[in-house]
Each structure stands twice: as structure tokens, then as C-alpha cells.
Amino acid sequence: TATPVSASSVFGTYQAEYTQTGRELRIVHVISGRTGTYPPEQIITLIDWLKSLAKDDAEFIPLMRGT
């Protein structure tokens, strides 16, 4: 299955999990953003967090033959 991704920062959290049990594929994406006004100096932190989310690029999910 695809690699799980987890990212957390002052801007929010993101989690992606992929599991297969027999013939059942389970895909879970959970994202929680935070509200507020942040200073311009936080832009690098925001960009880094968004790049972490982009790592969840499961274009293909290899499946195992189910029983």
C-alpha cells in the first residue's frame, strides 16, 4: 500500500493512511486547519507545511491479491 503521511504545524494537522485487509482497501485522510492571522514571517513555516502535505501523492496504490 501507499506510504502514510503525517504533518503538523501551527497552521494545522494532516494525516493520510492506506491499509488493505483482504480485498478491502481503506483510505483515510484527516485534515484540520487552524484559524487566525499570522505574521508575514510565518510564510516559510506555511510553505513547509504545504510541502509536507504534498508528499501524499499516491498516484498509484499497489494492492495485494485478496483472499
Side-chain angles (χ1 to χ4, degrees), residues 14-42:
Y14 178 79
Q15 195 168 20
E17 297 177 7
Y18 304 85
T19 56
Q20 181 180 355
T21 305
R23 295 179 51 87
E24 180 180 305
L25 173 64
R26 182 179 167 136
I27 301 172
V28 179
H29 290 174
V30 178
I31 188 166
S32 174
R34 299 211 173 95
T35 61
T37 304
Y38 298 92
E41 298 82 27
Q42 289 282 352

Side-chain angles (χ1 to χ4, degrees), residues 3-66:
T3 305
V5 174
S6 181
S8 181
S9 82
V10 67
F11 296 102
T13 58
Y14 178 79
Q15 195 168 20
E17 297 177 7
Y18 304 85
T19 56
Q20 181 180 355
T21 305
R23 295 179 51 87
E24 180 180 305
L25 173 64
R26 182 179 167 136
I27 301 172
V28 179
H29 290 174
V30 178
I31 188 166
S32 174
R34 299 211 173 95
T35 61
T37 304
Y38 298 92
E41 298 82 27
Q42 289 282 352
I43 191 69
I44 299 300
T45 305
L46 175 60
I47 291 170
D48 289 343
W49 184 65
L50 292 172
K51 285 180 179 178
S52 295
L53 271 61
K55 291 179 182 175
D56 183 24
D57 65 349
E59 185 174 337
F60 298 101
I61 302 173
L63 302 174
M64 307 302 282
R65 182 176 294 271

